[in-house]
Amino acid sequence: MSASENVVFSDLKIGESAEIVGYNAGDSQYKSKLLSMGLVRGVKLKVLQVAPLGDPVEVAVLAYRLSLRKEEAKVLQLRRV
């Protein structure tokens, strides 16, 4: 896979990074929650850990760590960096 291609959150592996390029249609309340946590366009995130059963996924974003469920994170449009 080449750098700067669009990627689905659930396809990211430990150590991979992606940049938020937008949002898909989805739960507007959850989208607002993500925006309030600083997950806006241009922000980069890096996968740190994946739970033993595959969900949730811990990411480094801005100056903190955040756990996201794969199903809920489908709302994020990402580009691999």
Side-chain angles (χ1 to χ4, degrees):
M1 293 188 168
S2 64
S4 76
E5 70 180 34
N6 289 340
V7 65
V8 178
F9 181 79
S10 59
D11 291 342
L12 292 173
K13 307 289 184 233
I14 294 173
E16 290 186 319
S17 296
E19 178 182 1
I20 299 170
V21 294
Y23 284 86
N24 295 314
D27 183 356
S28 61
Q29 268 190 317
Y30 189 71
K31 200 181 307 186
S32 289
K33 184 177 175 181
L34 292 177
L35 288 167
S36 70
M37 290 187 287
L39 297 178
V40 296
R41 282 191 179 115
V43 169
K44 292 182 176 83
L45 52 89
K46 180 177 182 178
V47 177
L48 300 175
Q49 294 182 49
V50 178
L53 296 178
D55 209 23
V57 176
E58 183 180 16
V59 296
V61 59
L62 301 171
Y64 62 94
R65 292 174 174 215
L66 177 65
S67 291
L68 295 171
R69 295 194 182 279
K70 290 178 181 178
E71 184 64 30
E72 295 169 335
K74 282 183 179 179
V75 73
L76 296 173
Q77 291 178 358
L78 302 170
R79 183 181 69 219
R80 195 181 306 270
V81 292

